[in-house]
Amino acid sequence: MKVLIIDDSPDAIALVKVRLFGDGLDVVSADGGTAGIESVRHERPDLILLDVDMPDMSGFDVCRILKADPDMCVIPIIFLSGSDTAEDKVRGLNLGAVDYISKPFDEFELQARVNAGLRSKYMQDLLAQRSNLDPLTGLSNRQGMTTRLREEWARVDRHGRPLSLTMIEVDRFARIYEAHGHAAGDRVLQVTSGIIAAQCRRVDLPSRCEGAEFAIISPDEIAKDASILAQRCQKHLSKMQLKVNDEEIWVTASFGVADAAGKHDIKDLIRGACHALHQAKLEGGNRVAVERSLDCAPSGV
């Protein structure tokens, strides 16, 4: 796990690194508050040790900024300060810090408090992960998809980075369900999710929204590029043949792709992808449709 030290004192940073050396932690540092905020965005630490008294920006101000950012607010913060007044401790904890350590600190106390903070972060991540997983397919569920979309949209707003969303629906799934039963329907969803996930990059998020509907969030890609991923999924699915109770089941899916360009919010992005998906289904399914141009790639193309 990674610990970030934000402090303007090289001596203090060196001392903390020595104290935490040997605990199997990846310890990185930033010189001052402004650099610290950028390091949090870049390093994505599991815990932050934050000095209160820095010349460019106080630790309290840094904490306030981090806790207001949806990408960084869940990272636990432990304040380090030469002041041990109750007022400063209360202020730090009220800003959202999990702990407050007075300088000079005891070596074993520092290690114990850091380990306690990391254990809490691990359990928090584990619970969040489980609550965001679809139990049937193992993919992210709608809640997880929504959370990730908000995070990625914040990057779109902040940096203008591309973002694409692909909506997917298994074609004529109700017929499969009615003809072959509940177990066969579940099997179709599991295999479909596996094929979709296998085509995704590590940064993509494949999700099961509900029923036979899936989605893929593709950061840093415009719709044209994301449609290539969708076409790979579509072609692999169209070649899939399931055998259930000695009966063959052919599975296809329709895909709708849209990106964040020209959109005002997440609802616009979802609406665009759903519109493209609807167009793909109107064209007979088993194809990819891209928003605006609605260029369709039918099976075999």
Side-chain angles (χ1 to χ4, degrees), residues 77 84 102 104 106 117-118 126 139 158 166 171 180 182 194 270 274:
I77 294 173
D84 61 353
S102 299
D106 178 80
L118 289 173
L126 187 62
L139 298 183
R158 189 164 55 239
T166 301
D171 295 327
H180 302 282
H182 180 84
I270 296 174
C274 287

Side-chain angles (χ1 to χ4, degrees), residues 20 51 69 99-100 106 114 132 136 169 176 179 187 191 195 204-205 218 233 235 241-242 246 248 253 263:
L20 298 180
D51 185 34
D69 190 310
D99 209 341
Y100 191 107
D106 178 80
V114 166
N132 288 336
L136 177 65
E169 185 173 344
I176 296 173
R187 182 61 181 153
V191 173
I195 289 175
D204 297 329
L205 181 71
S218 298
C233 294
K235 289 178 180 179
Q241 182 181 0
L242 283 178
D246 295 326
E248 294 178 348
K263 304 292 192 304

Side-chain angles (χ1 to χ4, degrees), residues 48-70:
I48 299 168
L49 292 173
L50 177 58
D51 185 34
V52 171
D53 300 310
M54 295 180 289
D56 65 331
M57 185 184 301
S58 76
F60 294 134
D61 289 335
V62 173
C63 182
R64 187 179 294 107
I65 292 171
L66 294 179
K67 292 304 178 182
D69 190 310

Side-chain angles (χ1 to χ4, degrees), residues 97-254:
V98 298
D99 209 341
Y100 191 107
I101 303 176
S102 299
K103 298 178 181 179
F105 44 76
D106 178 80
E107 172 185 355
F108 299 106
E109 178 186 8
L110 176 68
Q111 291 173 325
R113 291 177 184 264
V114 166
N115 288 333
L118 289 173
R119 282 195 298 271
S120 296
K121 179 63 164 55
Y122 172 78
M123 293 304 299
Q124 173 183 304
D125 290 347
L126 187 62
L127 289 172
Q129 182 183 41
R130 290 183 176 179
S131 68
N132 288 336
L133 289 182
D134 173 59
L136 177 65
T137 64
L139 298 183
S140 174
N141 58 20
R142 178 180 286 276
Q143 176 179 317
M145 169 191 160
T146 301
T147 300
R148 178 67 178 277
L149 263 181
R150 288 172 179 162
E151 293 172 353
E152 295 300 337
W153 193 265
R155 296 186 180 98
V156 172
D157 277 343
R158 189 164 55 239
H159 303 297
R161 291 163 56 175
L163 173 65
S164 290
L165 176 66
T166 301
M167 299 300 296
I168 308 161
E169 185 173 344
V170 177
D171 295 327
R172 294 169 286 279
F173 180 74
R175 296 183 187 178
I176 296 173
Y177 194 87
E178 292 170 0
H180 302 282
H182 180 84
D186 284 353
R187 182 61 181 153
V188 167
L189 296 177
Q190 289 171 333
V191 173
T192 298
S193 67
I195 289 175
I196 292 172
Q199 303 308 312
C200 291
R201 305 169 300 166
R202 287 188 63 184
V203 295
D204 297 329
L205 181 71
S207 306
R208 181 189 176 199
C209 301
E210 59 186 10
E213 296 178 0
F214 297 84
I216 304 173
I217 299 172
S218 298
D220 298 317
E221 287 202 335
I222 61 174
K224 181 180 178 181
D225 295 331
S227 69
I228 298 173
L229 165 62
Q231 289 170 20
R232 289 203 308 267
C233 294
Q234 178 261 324
K235 289 178 180 179
H236 278 79
L237 278 170
S238 65
K239 295 176 182 178
M240 181 182 68
Q241 182 181 0
L242 283 178
K243 199 166 187 178
V244 180
N245 298 326
D246 295 326
E247 294 183 86
E248 294 178 348
I249 302 177
W250 295 91
V251 181
T252 63
S254 300

Side-chain angles (χ1 to χ4, degrees), residues 2-73:
K2 183 179 291 186
V3 175
L4 170 65
I5 310 164
I6 302 177
D7 200 312
D8 64 309
S9 169
D11 292 339
I13 290 174
L15 182 59
V16 172
K17 286 184 175 181
V18 168
R19 294 291 186 262
L20 298 180
F21 180 78
D23 283 356
L25 302 175
D26 181 10
V27 183
V28 294
S29 61
D31 179 14
T34 304
I37 293 172
E38 289 304 312
S39 293
V40 174
R41 293 192 175 112
H42 177 71
E43 297 288 351
R44 298 288 173 176
D46 296 289
L47 183 139
I48 299 168
L49 292 173
L50 177 58
D51 185 34
V52 171
D53 300 310
M54 295 180 289
D56 65 331
M57 185 184 301
S58 76
F60 294 134
D61 289 335
V62 173
C63 182
R64 187 179 294 107
I65 292 171
L66 294 179
K67 292 304 178 182
D69 190 310
D71 286 346
M72 302 181 286
C73 64

Side-chain angles (χ1 to χ4, degrees), residues 280-294:
K281 292 166 66 177
L282 286 177
E283 294 289 334
N286 191 27
R287 64 188 62 218
V288 176
V290 181
E291 187 197 21
R292 292 196 182 96
S293 65
L294 297 180

